[in-house]
């Protein structure tokens, strides 16, 4: 492998609306790698594919799973080829693709089947298809190995956060507010065994779904928090949302579409409409609930062990002034700023992290988070599809 | 990689009743490898798992897919560890596992989804879980890459047949009668581009299902063809079975459970019961239909290009004297014999082939069949899950 590794990361999040692509340069040696985004873009799914994905997971059959695996694998491959053309690169310039895939379900706590508890996770977007479409070696299915060793299978970015954001002078929280919000706690001078990470709960997924419902599909997100700023949150409803048992569970924990997807949003919006809340008030309320759920998660599960000097916010949520204001107010002693203030791309971060996870896989470096006393074994994450 | 490669192959066939394990030694260089089975055994699925798998694929949800992927991955890993103990080997002695997985569906011809034709295949039994359970590098999901380059994704064994059975003096057909029957045609002095391969149609799956139905589950298979020998086939019903459109399709072609699984068997058995056929007559009839469908496939699609001197029969079907008699009668000029007559294990062959496919993957050698004029690209088959 060249000492300069060029990876292409693909991330398809809980919002199920498209795929982020980040062409990424990795130099140096783990964990002292330098990671630089050369090109990043987002490509929306065709409307027909999005419609398929927006059906609740419980409506999907084994046939849908197989079809989506190949359909999305092909789309991801095409997305890479398109991004490479725009970046003036050729497939031969890329060492590997790292693709998260589209999560159809994620059940780290397991269900009882045939007399035993079986944890599972399911991402579609076949790595074999991506590799054959692009001619580029592809690493995918990063979550399964972590689930197999008893981990949560999520979040997957902490090792990236550790490499990119650990600091000798500041304790940091790397907070990504995507469809789901997750965080990595990085104590000052952290070693890799010192970090912890978990999903705090819903992120933009809840806000976007509410916006879609109150505008009858005319808008898909609350750009710049305009609606949330115009409305006034209903605190009774905020409290109702925050009663979801997920928020009381101790980390490590992870969540997704099945707990906080369209169904959850739909129930909340229906309740608020019935109580006569305005469009803006509804969006303001769910935004407030998301902000508070994150602040509360930090307060309950991070502060007892780490007082953050800096909270590095990435993902779509960092562009939402209401969410940022709630976090700044909740942690007045910390600098709460978008990734750019710390030299990382807020929008490209997650896709970039998957390019890095592909690199770690090919180097045989475990990428699961093993906090002290977790008893988990280190695991190399991802499966590799070769090309010829 | 050591020059002596020890692989462990896992095969779970269309009968959905368990997993074959073959610990295999591979020496030499492709395509002049020597392949030797060190230990082989079959492990039945627990009854509860079998019951889950016997539900028709269309009854399976995305949740079932995810659960089966992890449940079977764990079972396969345990099956390997058990077989290694019996073979007096340790996981550290094994270079790689090659696992076929349990096919839930296989649709190489595709279906229309979101305005495009999407071919797909779906095997469960996560390679990541097998790797983490055993501590052994695992290659799995061999079919996807072949489907991705426009192939049938099946059969997968022809490259193994080529390496093990090609001959300078004889034209051969390697015929495996497992749940589904498939064959590889190997002309005398064949080069790899000269071979062709396809599924002929149902094999033991149809016979076993019929036996299960007529004995109300008391027997699972017609051991030594006892029932078929006692009964007399109903030729009208044999002809009805052979009217299935699959038999008229030109190769390359592949089939499986959705075409020739429990449902197909159930319809045939119900028809015969209604016509008052005895238990033995029913089993005799389906056995005759299977034998004739194979003979007919050879006659229509192989003989025009190759007159076989030898037909090497493997899989459970080679123990069925009725099937063997039908084939011997149909091809009086050929030697029709079980694999053992040619130095290969009839029962261990398919599992052994998957150990070899893992070896090919790790060597970066394409294993898909590319007949002349097929226009297909070579593809390295399988995805690799590493251990740490």
């Amino acid at each position: 492998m060249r000492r300069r590794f060029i990876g292409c990361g693909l991330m398809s999040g809980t919002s199920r609306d498209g795929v982020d692509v980040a062409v990424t340069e990795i130099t140096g040696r783990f964990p002292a790698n330098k990671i630089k985004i050369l090109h990043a873009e987002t490509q929306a799914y065709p409307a027909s594919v999005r419609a398929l994905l927006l059906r609740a997971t419980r409506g999907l059959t084994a046939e849908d799973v197989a079809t989506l695996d190949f359909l999305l694998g092909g789309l991801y491959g095409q997305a890479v080829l398109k991004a490479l053309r725009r970046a003036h690169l050729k497939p031969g310039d890329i060492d590997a693709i790292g693709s998260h895939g589209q999560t159809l379900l994620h059940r780290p706590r397991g269900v009882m089947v045939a007399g035993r508890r079986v944890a599972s996770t399911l991402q579609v977007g076949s790595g074999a298809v991506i590799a054959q479409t692009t001619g580029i070696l592809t690493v995918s299915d990063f979550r399964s190995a972590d689930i197999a060793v008893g981990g949560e299978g999520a979040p997957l970015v902490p090792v990236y956060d550790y490499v990119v954001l650990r600091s000798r002078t500041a304790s940091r929280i790397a907070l990504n507010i995507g469809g789901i919000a997750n965080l990595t706690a990085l104590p000052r001078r952290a070693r890799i065994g010192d970090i912890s990470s978990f999903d705090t709960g819903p992120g933009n997924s809840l806000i976007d779904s509410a916006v879609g419902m109150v505008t009858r599909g005319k808008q898909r997100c609350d750009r710049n928090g305009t609606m949330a700023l115009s409305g006034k949150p209903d605190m009774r409803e905020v409290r109702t949302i925050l009663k979801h048992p997920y928020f009381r569970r101790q980390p490590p924990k992870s969540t997704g579409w099945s707990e906080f997807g369209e169904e959850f949003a739909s129930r909340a919006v229906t309740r608020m409409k019935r109580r006569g809340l305005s469009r803006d008030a509804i969006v303001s309320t769910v935004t407030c609930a998301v902000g508070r759920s994150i602040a509360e998660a930090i307060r309950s599960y991070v502060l007892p062990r780490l007082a953050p000097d800096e909270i590095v916010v990435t993902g779509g949520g960092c562009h939402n002034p209401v969410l940022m204001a709630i976090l700044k107010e909740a942690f007045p002693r910390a600098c709460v700023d978008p990734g750019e203030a710390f030299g990382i791309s807020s929008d490209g971060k997650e896709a970039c992290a998957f390019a890095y996870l592909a690199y770690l896989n090919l180097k045989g470096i475990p990428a699961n988070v093993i906090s002290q006393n977790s008893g988990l074994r280190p695991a190399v994450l991802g499966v590799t599809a070769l090309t010829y």
Side-chain angles (χ1 to χ4, degrees), chain A:
Chain A
M1 211 172 283
R2 295 167 245 173
R3 293 190 60 188
R4 177 168 172 268
F5 180 98
I6 312 282
C8 185
L10 294 171
M11 176 68 203
S12 310
T14 315
S15 51
R16 301 190 172 189
D17 50 6
V19 58
D20 297 333
V21 188
V23 184
T24 302
E25 179 190 89
I26 299 160
T27 51
R29 274 181 175 279
F30 177 82
N33 296 113
K34 297 286 168 225
I35 304 174
K36 193 171 111 186
I37 296 182
L38 304 179
H39 173 85
E41 60 179 274
T42 298
Q43 294 183 32
Y45 288 142
S48 52
V49 173
R50 184 151 203 265
L52 207 60
L53 288 169
L54 287 177
R55 283 162 43 189
T57 302
R58 73 183 49 159
L60 292 176
T61 64
E63 305 193 340
D64 294 326
V65 172
T67 303
L68 284 169
D69 198 29
F70 280 73
L71 176 63
L72 292 183
L75 286 178
Y76 295 161
Q78 295 300 334
V80 168
L81 295 175
K82 200 187 272 187
L84 291 182
R85 280 195 298 274
R86 287 189 188 138
H88 306 292
L89 290 166
K90 292 184 297 291
D93 298 326
I94 307 298
D95 292 290
I97 293 168
S99 175
H100 174 271
Q102 186 70 62
T103 294
L104 293 186
L105 63 84
H106 183 66
R107 300 197 289 195
R109 307 170 82 195
V111 291
M112 290 305 294
V113 185
R116 50 198 98 188
R117 178 161 291 278
V118 181
S120 63
T121 189
L122 176 58
Q123 280 75 42
V124 286
S126 162
V129 176
I130 298 172
Q132 295 300 337
T133 305
T134 57
I136 302 168
L137 179 153
T138 301
V139 189
S140 63
D141 187 18
F142 291 93
R143 298 193 188 278
S144 291
D146 190 31
I147 295 273
V149 296
E152 282 284 320
L156 291 172
V157 290
V159 64
Y160 170 89
D161 288 335
Y162 171 77
V163 168
V164 171
L165 287 172
R166 75 185 185 285
S167 161
R168 291 182 180 206
T169 55
S171 285
R172 284 176 172 169
I173 291 173
L175 171 65
N176 190 76
I177 310 177
I180 292 294
N182 65 63
L183 64 78
T184 303
L186 298 156
R188 189 186 357 249
R189 297 176 179 277
R191 297 203 191 177
I192 194 137
D194 300 331
I195 65 176
S196 58
S197 186
F198 62 95
D199 288 342
T200 62
N204 303 314
S205 61
L206 178 55
I207 303 171
D208 295 351
S209 297
V211 170
M213 288 171 209
V214 299
T215 64
R216 296 196 179 151
K218 279 185 200 129
Q219 275 178 249
R220 277 199 189 166
C221 65
D222 183 21
R223 199 164 297 281
N224 302 319
T226 315
M227 296 171 80
L229 282 168
S230 311
K232 192 169 167 297
D234 179 278
M235 295 317 292
R236 183 173 134 194
E237 187 58 37
V238 169
R239 281 191 297 274
T240 304
I241 292 173
L242 294 180
K243 273 184 192 147
H244 192 290
Y246 181 78
F247 300 120
R248 291 195 306 275
R249 273 178 49 204
Q250 288 288 328
K253 59 181 180 176
S254 59
T255 185
W257 175 265
S258 56
E259 275 179 307
F260 293 115
E262 291 279 330
E263 273 187 47
F264 179 79
S266 172
R267 279 201 302 276
V269 169
T270 306
R271 271 196 315 267
M272 290 187 270
K273 275 186 173 165
R274 204 174 293 144
R275 293 186 42 226
L277 297 193
S278 72
R279 269 174 36 159
D280 291 348
I282 289 173
V283 176
S284 186
T285 301
V286 295
T287 305
C288 178
V290 167
R292 292 211 170 192
S293 73
I294 296 169
E296 208 44 63
I298 293 175
R299 221 173 265 133
S300 304
Y301 307 121
V302 181
L303 291 199
R305 303 194 301 120
L306 171 153
D309 302 303
E310 295 166 346
I311 301 181
V312 184
V313 192
T314 55
C318 79
H319 305 305
N320 187 318
V322 178
L323 287 178
M324 292 300 277
I326 292 172
L327 293 168
K328 280 173 194 280
E329 198 190 308
F331 306 102
R333 291 202 194 145
C335 296
V336 180
D337 282 303
E340 282 68 13
F342 304 88
I344 67 170
S345 159
S346 293
D347 296 326
K349 176 196 165 182
E350 290 235 305
C352 174
F354 280 89
Y356 188 60
L357 286 168
Y359 163 88
L360 292 178
N361 174 287
L362 295 173
K363 295 280 185 188
I365 299 169
N368 57 335
V369 174
I370 306 173
S371 333
Q372 284 147 355
N373 307 320
S374 69
L376 297 181
R377 277 186 291 123
V380 177
L381 304 185
V383 299
T384 307
L386 299 176
T387 58
Y388 180 66

